[in-house]
Amino acid sequence: MLSKPIRKICVVITARPSYSRIKSALTAINMHPQLELQLVVAASALLDRYGKAFEYIEQDGFHIAAKVFNVLEGENLTAQAKTTGLGILELATVFENLKPDAVVTIADRFETMATAVAASYMNIPLVHIQGGEVTGSIDEKVRHAITKLADLHLVASEDAYQRVIKLGETEASVVITGCPSLDIALEVIQKDMPRFDPLSKYGGVGTDRFDPDDFVVVLQHPVTTEYYEARKQIEISLQAIKELDKSCLWFWPNVDAGSDGTSKGIRAFRENNPTSKIHFFKNMEPSDFLRLLLNSKCLIGNSSVGIRESSFLGIPVVDIGSRQAGRSRGANVLHVAYNQEDILSAIRYQLNHGKYNPENIYGDGKAGVRIADALANQPLTFDKKISY
Amino acid sequence: MLSKPIRKICVVITARPSYSRIKSALTAINMHPQLELQLVVAASALLDRYGKAFEYIEQDGFHIAAKVFNVLEGENLTAQAKTTGLGILELATVFENLKPDAVVTIADRFETMATAVAASYMNIPLVHIQGGEVTGSIDEKVRHAITKLADLHLVASEDAYQRVIKLGETEASVVITGCPSLDIALEVIQKDMPRFDPLSKYGGVGTDRFDPDDFVVVLQHPVTTEYYEARKQIEISLQAIKELDKSCLWFWPNVDAGSDGTSKGIRAFRENNPTSKIHFFKNMEPSDFLRLLLNSKCLIGNSSVGIRESSFLGIPVVDIGSRQAGRSRGANVLHVAYNQEDILSAIRYQLNHGKYNPENIYGDGKAGVRIADALANQPLTFDKKISY
Amino acid sequence: MLSKPIRKICVVITARPSYSRIKSALTAINMHPQLELQLVVAASALLDRYGKAFEYIEQDGFHIAAKVFNVLEGENLTAQAKTTGLGILELATVFENLKPDAVVTIADRFETMATAVAASYMNIPLVHIQGGEVTGSIDEKVRHAITKLADLHLVASEDAYQRVIKLGETEASVVITGCPSLDIALEVIQKDMPRFDPLSKYGGVGTDRFDPDDFVVVLQHPVTTEYYEARKQIEISLQAIKELDKSCLWFWPNVDAGSDGTSKGIRAFRENNPTSKIHFFKNMEPSDFLRLLLNSKCLIGNSSVGIRESSFLGIPVVDIGSRQAGRSRGANVLHVAYNQEDILSAIRYQLNHGKYNPENIYGDGKAGVRIADALANQPLTFDKKISY
Amino acid sequence: MLSKPIRKICVVITARPSYSRIKSALTAINMHPQLELQLVVAASALLDRYGKAFEYIEQDGFHIAAKVFNVLEGENLTAQAKTTGLGILELATVFENLKPDAVVTIADRFETMATAVAASYMNIPLVHIQGGEVTGSIDEKVRHAITKLADLHLVASEDAYQRVIKLGETEASVVITGCPSLDIALEVIQKDMPRFDPLSKYGGVGTDRFDPDDFVVVLQHPVTTEYYEARKQIEISLQAIKELDKSCLWFWPNVDAGSDGTSKGIRAFRENNPTSKIHFFKNMEPSDFLRLLLNSKCLIGNSSVGIRESSFLGIPVVDIGSRQAGRSRGANVLHVAYNQEDILSAIRYQLNHGKYNPENIYGDGKAGVRIADALANQPLTFDKKISY
């Protein structure tokens, strides 16, 4: 009897949060007897300013097959387009040399279009993780366009499955795996890990006081299509947290047009508020972040962590603005606009409410293994036609 | 009362056939009091090997605002990906400097993705001409992905309208204009132009005999995802035409992975068949081409001209292979696979049948003006969300 | 009698300091009846982080024909190489569309190689301003390589003239014009302009005390080939200035591999020394900078301003490290290594010495007009052969 | 005692003739205990149209570490610039991932500038093979500019050594190795190989008659800076050979602006002269080519083979035009301009003269081993300063 040939699976990681989402799947691919992992690290995942994700990746024991620097300076929209164009140029060469059997692209960041175009144009079966969701901004266009380029869709939820089908993909090409970011959350819950001091482990800047028993977490990204608003938005949240006057861990946003406005807003706030109770971090290992989140009183901002992991963990969330609009959400999420009073009152409501019951909307914490299984067993093709 | 500001409309043309399709719209844009045309010519539309479309464009009196050379040599799939990546890099700079109010991209050639990504990433409203159709090969992925990036859809047919809506676009963002390539066809019918001798006007190579009263036309492109088959396919058609033994005008294919196989097949045939009745052309003004088509007995190959213009003109068509699969077609089209006997017998059937009744499936020949009107009057936005 | 045709002169500016150097020549080109200026602004001259030189350029009334964003993020050596590669890709398109009769590249920053390669490869006569000098680091390789690509050399000094000849260029192709940066210095000396308050005019960060009668100026760039040393070097200088305990205006470095280390060093210093007497600026109009320099007691750092303008103005200079090594220098320059005590003692020596006699080593302040004359009257060719 | 660490030597091959020149050095590097070869194949060396050098490389048993497609279509000067820009972008990534201890660039083709800029900007010691020579066209600028970027110069002749020193390089950094292309020539002389039939082994097009005892060889490249002349030049040579009326092996030129004119000239000639005695080849293994050359009566054209290998083999040469102007040459070379009568009369002179005495101007056939030794033993640095 002939054994099936090993499939070479090339996963392209372009940003710190994408790594968190895919980590458990990487482990499962590495352990799967029918799969060989080819890991490519590119874009902001290589940059100091965005937390040098590649160092965590290497520390976690993954071998990086190729690094691709392709981020254009400017943090404006022209730079986003060019970063993507350069990514295509370089990833085409990487794929030419690695000759993968399938390429995996994760979610919907603007630069992931480079992975999708290079692979699909080279007739390499393209696997899209986390398609079928709905958000605002350029991510919305990117996500659905990648669905139309992709050949195999590994989605996080029933809701996403239905949307991908409506987009004209065949049922046979869509598999619900759950979101792999919940795999780390499950591990954090299951392992009874001792507390750690984030300030001494990760440095960061701001206050050196931190109350491990009573604190909130903020994670707020700039919203691409509201470029000029980025600074104003971050200032509103900063003022709300200042007025809250509670121990706070604030995480730096990742690379996006507008993040310069965000960064400046944060820097100006720090200069003018040297005694605030906020401590700022640039980066953190995902599992450490989730351990902190699990012990926090509330998550504030516009990160997808508020929608996915927090729902699974039962953490109260104040979701600000349009960035997560349209996504399936649990009972734990309270939505507000960019308004200082509304944000503050929502935080107080959530602090008063306390923990919520966990929900499995985005999976059960076992997505990584399901993704590896799908990569090993689903047909890998590259020629498709719309279903209607 | 304040007058509406002039809208700057940047149209990007990347290939000879795209120019034919959009020409009447360019004229209508130039004549519209609310519109200013910014014409960008790129990719194979600049290259000698593919007929130097830019020379025709300039001869027709259009001002070219920028030329962008971005075709990678190789005619393989890696080169297609890189051509697209380079196109994004350069078009981003062009858009940065021209600052258009909207960017227009035409149809579904692989490199048009560059226009779509650059414009949508830069928050410039993206207008897509001829979305919503169905074909085989990479065009199919490209077309629907561009629909998901585009903000305004100017489609050719009712069928295409329905498909774009199903893809999650709002009804308000889709306008049926008809296909602008029919505008030239209508003009050719309406103007009673004298015959001309294509060999003396356009040169070309092959036989110097041409029977203007009894000839067929061939237009056959390589099919991207059947790369290695390109040479074999062209040889089958060449042998069928050789056996037909009738005066034949054969048009060189445009740039695509595989066209090297096609070119080689044609060159080898010519060396081995110096006395065949085929004359080969690299390029021709669209209206001259349609005048010839109107007088021809049959169109053979896999060009969309067989589906669109020929249906409007009532010309018998033998459509070979998968390239036009899934497109709405008229009674004039007979489909066959790549098989020499089948092709020959289909041609004989069509020669026997003679002209068909004209059909308006892809428009009525007035698309150009409708496109200009839509560009002047439709809302131009760049932030959208899927409708389901 | 036939009049000579107008020559289209394309000047490519890639950084803030390059603009200062070339400004008077741009004015002279604009005023010359035989010349037409085509101004291209690229690279860090477009970026917020490096002082948005393009805004000053537009405020000075120059029309920008094209903007090219090509800086790769990373501030490492790979990013420098890629910035240059991308610059070639894009400048080739710009030159294709502008069709200049000559292209002017300024000095020796790494990304100017892009201008030199694109122009020389396209057979456009290449004019190099400020070749023939000697420094350390990658600039040294870049400068002489550009000399070998350039067709016309407009040099700053007799010393530079001799070196370009030794490099195998013909005497007919080298013209001593003086350095155009001195033109602004001459203007500052000649116009008796009132004092201005730099803090209120330019903002910046740091102390709000400034003693206009007794202050020093610091301008220290990272040195490319000593990448890992960048942070250490800046810290040594910061500590020396701290110990000096005198009013100080410190100017942020421009884009170079290593500037991240420099920036971090400055930020850390500011956090730890909130009461220091240093005020930091990101950018300043060149003439304002020179007015301040003229009133300062000493210039400290490794900028070429210490070698050129300061010698012309007679300002005492403490030149640190290898960056300016090998350049002709006046009596006003005291050289020291990166050693806190040496730096401090050199500054004290210069403060004690006071102003020096002005020297004309790098020109007499009339370079701009000479450059325009050379561009109008020198033969423009692109085919050359080494002279030995 | 500690052993010296292995040096990783990255050799970048961008064209078929560069491979011939470096082949013996590659073998010597592979066999050297202190060296590890990292072979990168790029540009026209990967393309079908230029003879797929990479297939010969692989057949010869060399492992290719990375392939880089970077040739822009167009065969004009803009395409040459862009090919170089793209090469820098991609080679930077390749070097980032391979981390070589030194990069080797060969000779002076336009696209080799990409290797030189990427390596030198990344502070990787750059080794230049065959600097210090003199020719016409853009190669002349490229070669000397690369000398100014390179850190170690392995030159072919005493003449070249002197010129590199005059360019300001230190004596310690220049080593005379001889030209490695002569190594293959020496091997061909030493091995007494049986004759072979080039038509049956390599195919090609044109006459099927070939007189192995009485034939000439033509190798004529387009000259970049005489772009529009390319077609005219090739026609002159074709007419001269037609009039000569002797068995002729003609080799297709490699990629350069203008080669389209050359190709067209050849194609038109073949159509109009179906009975000429010329047989055309696209490519041939270097050792087979030299075996044929050794048996030929005369080499005609403008290839460096006429200057180097032919002098070493004593073959009569008619060198046409400016391409090899300024190079040291042996008694075997007769120079003529692009004039049909002059070319014909020079060929007849050479046929009458017969073989010349071999000369060692460009080496003794042992360059490969000397290059490997230099790579193993010379200091590898990247920081240099002009010597005057």
PDB file of all heavy atoms in Angstrom, chain A residues 55 59 99 113 115 140 228:
ATOM      1  N   GLU A  55      11.005  36.923  17.247  1.00  0.00           N
ATOM      2  CA  GLU A  55      11.788  36.417  18.380  1.00  0.00           C
ATOM      3  C   GLU A  55      10.981  35.439  19.230  1.00  0.00           C
ATOM      4  O   GLU A  55      11.491  34.411  19.655  1.00  0.00           O
ATOM      5  CB  GLU A  55      12.290  37.581  19.240  1.00  0.00           C
ATOM      6  CG  GLU A  55      13.379  38.388  18.538  1.00  0.00           C
ATOM      7  CD  GLU A  55      14.035  39.394  19.473  1.00  0.00           C
ATOM      8  OE1 GLU A  55      13.559  39.569  20.617  1.00  0.00           O
ATOM      9  OE2 GLU A  55      15.018  40.026  19.049  1.00  0.00           O
ATOM     10  N   GLN A  59      11.755  31.568  19.832  1.00  0.00           N
ATOM     11  CA  GLN A  59      11.829  31.060  21.204  1.00  0.00           C
ATOM     12  C   GLN A  59      10.868  29.889  21.424  1.00  0.00           C
ATOM     13  O   GLN A  59      11.136  28.996  22.220  1.00  0.00           O
ATOM     14  CB  GLN A  59      11.507  32.180  22.200  1.00  0.00           C
ATOM     15  CG  GLN A  59      12.662  33.142  22.424  1.00  0.00           C
ATOM     16  CD  GLN A  59      12.210  34.446  23.064  1.00  0.00           C
ATOM     17  OE1 GLN A  59      11.152  34.490  23.696  1.00  0.00           O
ATOM     18  NE2 GLN A  59      12.992  35.495  22.896  1.00  0.00           N
ATOM     19  N   LYS A  99       8.397  25.876  -2.908  1.00  0.00           N
ATOM     20  CA  LYS A  99       7.494  24.960  -3.612  1.00  0.00           C
ATOM     21  C   LYS A  99       6.512  24.249  -2.671  1.00  0.00           C
ATOM     22  O   LYS A  99       6.459  23.016  -2.601  1.00  0.00           O
ATOM     23  CB  LYS A  99       8.284  23.909  -4.405  1.00  0.00           C
ATOM     24  CG  LYS A  99       9.234  24.510  -5.434  1.00  0.00           C
ATOM     25  CD  LYS A  99       9.557  23.565  -6.565  1.00  0.00           C
ATOM     26  CE  LYS A  99      10.470  24.248  -7.588  1.00  0.00           C
ATOM     27  NZ  LYS A  99       9.908  25.530  -8.104  1.00  0.00           N
ATOM     28  N   MET A 113      -3.177  40.279   1.876  1.00  0.00           N
ATOM     29  CA  MET A 113      -3.529  40.208   0.450  1.00  0.00           C
ATOM     30  C   MET A 113      -2.314  39.794  -0.373  1.00  0.00           C
ATOM     31  O   MET A 113      -2.469  39.135  -1.421  1.00  0.00           O
ATOM     32  CB  MET A 113      -4.051  41.573  -0.003  1.00  0.00           C
ATOM     33  CG  MET A 113      -4.487  41.619  -1.441  1.00  0.00           C
ATOM     34  SD  MET A 113      -5.914  40.577  -1.792  1.00  0.00           S
ATOM     35  CE  MET A 113      -7.223  41.731  -1.392  1.00  0.00           C
ATOM     36  N   THR A 115       0.048  37.644   0.405  1.00  0.00           N
ATOM     37  CA  THR A 115       0.116  36.184   0.454  1.00  0.00           C
ATOM     38  C   THR A 115      -0.927  35.578  -0.475  1.00  0.00           C
ATOM     39  O   THR A 115      -0.645  34.653  -1.244  1.00  0.00           O
ATOM     40  CB  THR A 115      -0.140  35.698   1.898  1.00  0.00           C
ATOM     41  OG1 THR A 115       0.730  36.384   2.788  1.00  0.00           O
ATOM     42  CG2 THR A 115       0.077  34.209   2.014  1.00  0.00           C
ATOM     43  N   GLU A 140     -12.498  44.666   5.976  1.00  0.00           N
ATOM     44  CA  GLU A 140     -13.733  44.085   5.439  1.00  0.00           C
ATOM     45  C   GLU A 140     -13.570  43.761   3.953  1.00  0.00           C
ATOM     46  O   GLU A 140     -13.937  42.670   3.498  1.00  0.00           O
ATOM     47  CB  GLU A 140     -14.877  45.088   5.661  1.00  0.00           C
ATOM     48  CG  GLU A 140     -16.185  44.751   4.996  1.00  0.00           C
ATOM     49  CD  GLU A 140     -16.954  43.645   5.699  1.00  0.00           C
ATOM     50  OE1 GLU A 140     -16.497  43.155   6.742  1.00  0.00           O
ATOM     51  OE2 GLU A 140     -18.014  43.260   5.183  1.00  0.00           O
ATOM     52  N   TYR A 228      -7.652  60.370  10.112  1.00  0.00           N
ATOM     53  CA  TYR A 228      -7.382  61.618  10.837  1.00  0.00           C
ATOM     54  C   TYR A 228      -7.976  61.616  12.239  1.00  0.00           C
ATOM     55  O   TYR A 228      -7.682  62.453  13.063  1.00  0.00           O
ATOM     56  CB  TYR A 228      -7.908  62.808  10.037  1.00  0.00           C
ATOM     57  CG  TYR A 228      -7.245  62.917   8.703  1.00  0.00           C
ATOM     58  CD1 TYR A 228      -7.908  62.560   7.531  1.00  0.00           C
ATOM     59  CD2 TYR A 228      -5.919  63.343   8.597  1.00  0.00           C
ATOM     60  CE1 TYR A 228      -7.285  62.632   6.302  1.00  0.00           C
ATOM     61  CE2 TYR A 228      -5.289  63.417   7.364  1.00  0.00           C
ATOM     62  CZ  TYR A 228      -5.970  63.061   6.222  1.00  0.00           C
ATOM     63  OH  TYR A 228      -5.346  63.138   5.013  1.00  0.00           O
TER      64      TYR A 228
END
